[in-house]
């Protein structure tokens, strides 16, 4: 834990309260606060019984489980372990059995605007054929498959096909570099990579297959036997005989029947890499049964999903939001969902509003960064202002990935929801598998900027550094006191790191440490997230470890030392600011600018464009204590452009602060 730790005693008072609209509450799955409290009480009175009933009611079990929760190996908790099921069966076959075969599962809109609709029957067909194709390559239960694909029906199919045959997928976001991709391929031990020739975003073509080739050429990827390529654009690529195969060739003669592989509820459905405060990104391992259960329940509780809804989550399948609220949750509840290939600003910043109007979306779930940038765009150009579009189909809005500032919340509420749509500000993490704290749209009175209360069954609390509960009104460390079904199971290949990161001994080894600070309102008990308490940044809702960026910088031959901190940013929430010491003398003027550009591009190549520092400053040294520790809290103040008022008596080289004060 860093010196950012949460001695917050108040957050700016927010007195606006928005009760759920009466018509919404009347038909909601959880209608009114009494219904919410009743569910919470059920969980408190009989924790295992609560989850067992929900798991029986909401999942199709090939073989029922007999034990709900096994705590004997805590914190390696096991849920419904002796039950057998298949996630893809639950998402597809179950819907066919219910007679929803002809219902549209996916409305896909390509970057250029072309629309393709896929019914549940068609999706089932595609998944089974592709699953059989993977089997023909020898991929099977227990194998790991890396997916590096654009937003596409085929991306969803690839993930579902892995689930169908019991292979564990690891999706790598298409914006990561060859090096990041290679590190993940190696760490997870992938036997196959599924990719596309190119990805198209904002009218630009990006060469995914070429990046896969580059990643595999970096070495240590001998386990990869095949690369499967989805033809998205027909752009020129190298096809390596014997290793590479086109997706359309692979499925050409495959049967559309594929008996699912029945797996234990604990079987790893996927591994998704995310950043921590130290070391390389960690492979967060999720289960099959508990994970899917929570995906389904949160679709019902948080999103109040109904058969006629058109659900749109704008996340990428490369992030956990895309896993839970694109590939699995919406399909498992038989919803119609929109999958979008492009970006919110192409061909113009009215794209989201245009798509809501065109497809009559009823539930819209996006990130505060997108909202903030679209506010700016709407202010600058009346033609892309949401008032120009018919958004009357909307009934519910959602926010995810980072704190939503009250101003952005109000704009979203008034301009997109037209004052009629509740906003669910969902707090959760890659590790939690699904929502943890969020308003319930038919029950919870909303307060801008607060994720309000934990979902039923989620025992969230705020504690001090010694693990003791803090009273409302006092900021502290966010923890979850009991295991829950969709929680992270382990860090792939590193159980020790899993225990240390999430269940530290200081708190008794059985309490989940979220890594965020939080505070509860004195009167309402509502939670507000006050930010990470470790060295993790949140840039545009993307999670980045400062250490990762520092390592990338020091790998450059010019760089001797680097320290990275976050600074508040109007659009991206946080921005990356790097303080760099070169091996040569400190550059100034144009030369400094030129080297900064070089280093920013270097980081893009090492990690991916999302990790590019927004700002780089050069110094002869970094502010250090006498024992040589970099004083990051001072760098954070400098990055913000504020004056240092803290005690600097332990600082070895105070003069350096003056040098680092000025942006280039
Ligand atoms: O700091 C919290 C922030 O995002 C972190 C999790 O990032 P990631 O694992 O990439 O998952 C993002 C999508 C679920 C959290 O530790 N965060 C996420 N949602 C919110 C949030 N901060 C404030 N409010 C939220 N609603």
């Amino acid at each position: 834990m860093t010196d950012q730790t949460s001695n917050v005693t108040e957050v700016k008072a927010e007195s606006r309260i928005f009760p759920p609209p009466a018509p919404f509450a009347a038909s909601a799955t959880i209608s009114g606060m009494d219904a919410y409290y009743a569910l919470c009480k059920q969980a408190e009175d009989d924790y295992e019984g609560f989850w067992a009933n929900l798991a029986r009611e909401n999942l199709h079990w090939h073989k029922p489980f007999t034990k709900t929760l096994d705590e004997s190996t805590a914190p390696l908790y096991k849920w419904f372990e002796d039950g057998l099921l298949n996630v893809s069966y639950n998402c597809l076959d179950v819907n066919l059995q219910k007679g929803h075969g002809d219902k549209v599962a996916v409305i896909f809109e390509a970057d250029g605007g072309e629309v393709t609709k896929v019914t549940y029957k068609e999706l089932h067909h595609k998944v089974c054929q592709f699953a059989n194709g993977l089997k023909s390559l020898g991929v099977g239960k227990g194998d790991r498959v890396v997916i590096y694909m654009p937003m596409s029906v085929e991306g969803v199919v690839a993930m579902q096909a892995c689930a169908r045959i019991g292979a564990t997928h690891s999706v790598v976001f298409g914006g990561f570099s060859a090096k990041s991709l290679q590190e993940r391929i190696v760490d997870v031990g992938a036997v196959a990579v599924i990719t596309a020739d190119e990805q198209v975003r904002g009218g630009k073509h990006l060469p995914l297959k070429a990046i896969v080739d580059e990643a595999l050429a970096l070495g240590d990827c001998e386990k990869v036997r095949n690369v499967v390529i989805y033809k998205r654009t027909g752009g020129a690529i190298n096809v390596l005989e014997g290793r590479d195969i086109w997706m359309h060739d692979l499925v050409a003669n495959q049967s559309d029947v594929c008996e699912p592989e029945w797996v234990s509820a604990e079987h790893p459905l996927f591994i998704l890499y995310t950043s921590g405060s130290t070391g390389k990104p960690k492979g967060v391992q999720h289960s099959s049964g508990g994970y899917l259960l929570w995906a389904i329940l949160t679709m019902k509780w948080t999103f109040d999903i109904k058969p006629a809804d058109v659900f749109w989550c704008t996340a990428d399948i490369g992030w956990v939001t895309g896993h839970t609220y694109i590939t699995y949750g919406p399909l498992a509840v038989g919803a119609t969902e929109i999958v979008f290939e492009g970006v919110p600003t192409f061909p113009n910043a009215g794209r989201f509003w245009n798509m809501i109007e065109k497809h009559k979306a009823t539930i819209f779930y996006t990130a505060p960064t997108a909202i903030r940038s679209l506010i700016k765009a709407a202010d600058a150009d009346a033609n892309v202002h949401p008032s120009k579009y018919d958004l009357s189909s909307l009934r519910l809005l959602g926010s995810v990935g980072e704190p939503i500032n009250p101003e952005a919340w109000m704009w979203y509420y008034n301009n997109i929801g037209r004052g009629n749509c509740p906003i669910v500000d969902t707090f959760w993490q890659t590790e939690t598998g699904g929502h943890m704290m969020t308003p319930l749209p038919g029950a919870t009175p909303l307060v801008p900027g607060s994720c309000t209360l934990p979902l039923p069954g989620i025992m969230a609390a705020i504690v001090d550094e010694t693990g003791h509960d803090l009273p409302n009104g006092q900021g502290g460390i966010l923890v979850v006191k009991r295991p829950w079904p969709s929680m992270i199971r382990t860090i792939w290949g590193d159980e020790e790191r899993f225990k240390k990161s999430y269940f530290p001994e200081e708190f008794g080894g059985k309490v989940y440490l979220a890594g965020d600070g939080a505070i509860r309102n004195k009167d309402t008990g509502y939670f507000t997230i006050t930010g990470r308490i470790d060295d993790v940044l949140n840039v545009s809702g993307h999670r980045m470890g400062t250490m990762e960026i520092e390592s990338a910088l020091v790998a450059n031959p010019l760089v001797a030392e680097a320290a990275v901190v976050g600074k508040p940013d109007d659009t991206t929430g946080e921005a990356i600011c790097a303080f760099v010491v070169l091996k040569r003398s400190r550059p100034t003027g144009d030369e400094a600018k030129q080297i900064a550009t070089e280093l920013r591009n270097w980081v893009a190549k090492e990690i991916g464009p999302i990790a590019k520092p927004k700002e780089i400053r050069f110094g002869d040294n970094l502010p250090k204590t006498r024992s040589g520790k970099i004083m990051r809290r001072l760098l954070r103040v400098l990055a913000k452009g504020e004056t240092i008022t803290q005690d600097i008596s332990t600082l070895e080289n105070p003069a350096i602060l003056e040098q680092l004060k000025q942006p280039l």
Side-chain angles (χ1 to χ4, degrees), residues 85-94 96-97 120 123-132 134-135 139-141 156-169 255-263 267-269 288 328:
L85 84 174
N86 180 279
V87 167
S88 150
Y89 187 91
N90 270 277
C91 293
L92 301 171
D93 305 56
V94 165
L96 301 192
Q97 286 152 21
Y120 272 92
L123 193 62
H124 180 263
H125 181 109
K126 284 175 186 285
V127 168
C128 287
Q129 277 198 321
F130 191 51
N132 284 329
L134 287 175
K135 281 210 262 188
V139 180
K141 184 178 170 190
V156 174
V157 166
M159 293 165 79
Q160 287 278 352
C162 287
R164 192 150 193 105
I165 63 174
T168 300
H169 59 70
S255 156
D256 60 2
V257 177
C258 177
E259 181 64 14
E261 183 77 37
W262 303 109
V263 298
H267 182 71
L269 176 65
S288 297
Y328 294 114

Side-chain angles (χ1 to χ4, degrees), residues 514-647:
D516 282 288
I519 185 167
R520 298 186 73 165
N521 181 279
K522 272 202 191 99
D523 306 317
T524 56
Y526 279 9
F527 288 75
T528 294
I529 303 297
T530 52
R532 298 286 307 191
I533 54 172
D534 52 12
D535 291 319
V536 168
L537 305 182
N538 194 325
V539 182
S540 302
H542 298 152
R543 194 164 144 180
M544 312 281 336
T546 51
M547 277 254 304
E548 277 170 75
I549 307 167
E550 287 165 10
S551 309
L553 283 167
V554 296
N556 184 290
L558 286 176
V559 177
E561 221 181 344
V564 165
V565 298
K567 70 173 201 176
D569 186 280
D570 278 352
T571 306
T572 58
E574 260 185 311
I576 301 167
C577 183
F579 295 86
V580 174
V581 181
L582 296 183
K583 287 179 186 155
R584 43 152 283 181
S585 61
R586 183 170 78 100
T588 52
D590 284 347
E591 197 193 11
K593 285 193 183 130
Q594 186 216 319
I595 298 178
T597 308
E598 226 172 89
L599 292 181
R600 293 176 73 247
N601 293 337
W602 171 270
V603 174
K605 191 94 187 115
E606 286 283 298
I607 304 177
I610 52 172
K612 268 189 182 182
K614 179 160 184 187
E615 197 186 330
I616 294 184
R617 296 185 197 177
F618 297 101
D620 291 325
N621 203 339
L622 296 171
K624 290 183 187 149
T625 60
R626 287 192 182 87
S627 57
K629 197 169 173 263
I630 299 171
M631 294 183 78
R632 282 163 208 279
R633 74 185 154 87
L634 300 181
L635 291 176
R636 276 192 282 271
V637 178
L638 293 180
K640 272 196 242 175
E642 291 174 357
T643 313
I644 291 177
T645 51
Q646 291 96 330
D647 175 21

